[in-house]
Amino acid sequence: MEYSIIRAIHIIFVVSYFAGLFYIVRLFIYHTEALLDQDGPKKDILHEQFSFMEERLWNIITVPAFIIMILSGTYMLYLGNWAYLEQGWMHVKLSFILILFVYHFWSWRTLKQLHQAKTGMSSTQLRMMNEVATLILFVVVFAVVLKTMFIANWFWALISFVAMGIFIMLVVKIVNRGKKA
């Protein structure tokens, strides 16, 4: 029973964390566009508003969800006597969680840059970066749900995720084809 409760908590905070990640990068896109495309008082007002929204989202939703997601995931491993650490699908999951950590800290650094009114990437590049979290989510969910079947078919899983990434990037490019980079 305890494991099921912790698993439910883990799933809830995974969803909350990814919602925060998806939205924070969307705010980065709008913030970047405001900094690059606006002038004068409108630029200052938008910069202040986006900075406020990003800070609140990051500190009230994203980071707390991240911490609870990590703690509940670690506690589930502990409750299972760390046995999952011997399984291939968990190695894949944890590898992509490490990539997620890098993405998390990239997001934090981007947030700090934007708060100083510095734009390091174009809005199109940020749209592409927004899809990184989607691809990580795909891999992790498929690894967890399919477990040994995922590992047994790793080559096709890899091909499928690369194809999915290319497809998502193409859709982003097509949808934004008339906009400034």
Side-chain angles (χ1 to χ4, degrees):
M1 174 99 163
E2 181 180 8
Y3 184 86
S4 295
I5 291 169
I6 298 301
R7 183 173 56 183
I9 289 168
H10 183 68
I11 292 168
I12 290 165
F13 284 97
V14 166
V15 170
S16 299
Y17 177 64
F18 273 93
L21 276 186
F22 293 146
Y23 190 48
I24 195 80
V25 179
R26 177 61 43 195
L27 288 174
F28 294 165
I29 293 164
Y30 299 147
H31 195 161
T32 296
E33 289 173 347
L35 290 172
L36 295 175
D37 299 341
Q38 302 297 324
D39 289 317
K42 186 173 184 180
K43 178 180 179 176
D44 295 339
I45 291 167
L46 288 171
H47 172 63
E48 187 177 325
Q49 183 62 38
F50 283 124
S51 295
F52 174 78
M53 292 169 66
E54 291 159 354
E55 194 73 29
R56 287 285 175 99
L57 174 64
W58 190 253
N59 290 328
I60 296 173
I61 296 173
T62 310
V63 171
F66 176 76
I67 292 167
I68 295 169
M69 174 186 76
I70 297 304
L71 291 175
S72 61
T74 304
Y75 191 57
M76 284 191 310
L77 288 172
Y78 168 76
L79 288 175
N81 293 318
W82 310 100
Y84 282 134
L85 293 177
E86 298 173 11
Q87 298 185 20
W89 65 269
M90 183 57 80
H91 297 167
V92 171
K93 177 185 177 180
L94 292 177
S95 296
F96 277 84
I97 297 303
L98 287 176
I99 295 168
L100 185 63
F101 283 1
V102 172
Y103 187 79
H104 177 90
F105 288 105
W106 168 84
S107 297
W108 176 75
R109 188 186 55 136
T110 302
L111 175 104
K112 294 302 178 191
Q113 287 175 338
L114 284 170
H115 286 195
Q116 296 173 3
K118 297 177 184 173
T119 57
M121 301 177 92
S122 70
S123 62
T124 301
Q125 291 170 320
L126 287 168
R127 283 180 173 81
M128 297 294 185
M129 285 301 292
N130 201 27
E131 302 311 324
V132 170
T134 304
L135 292 173
I136 293 169
L137 184 60
F138 266 85
V139 173
V140 170
V141 169
F142 273 90
V144 170
V145 170
L146 298 177
K147 292 185 176 32
T148 55
M149 191 168 46
F150 183 86
I151 297 303
N153 297 295
W154 69 267
F155 179 77
W156 294 111
L158 177 64
I159 296 296
S160 298
F161 292 123
V162 168
M164 179 62 73
I166 291 168
F167 177 72
I168 290 170
M169 299 299 178
L170 285 173
V171 169
V172 169
K173 277 291 202 185
I174 290 168
V175 167
N176 294 295
R177 66 184 171 269
K179 297 179 181 175
K180 290 186 218 177

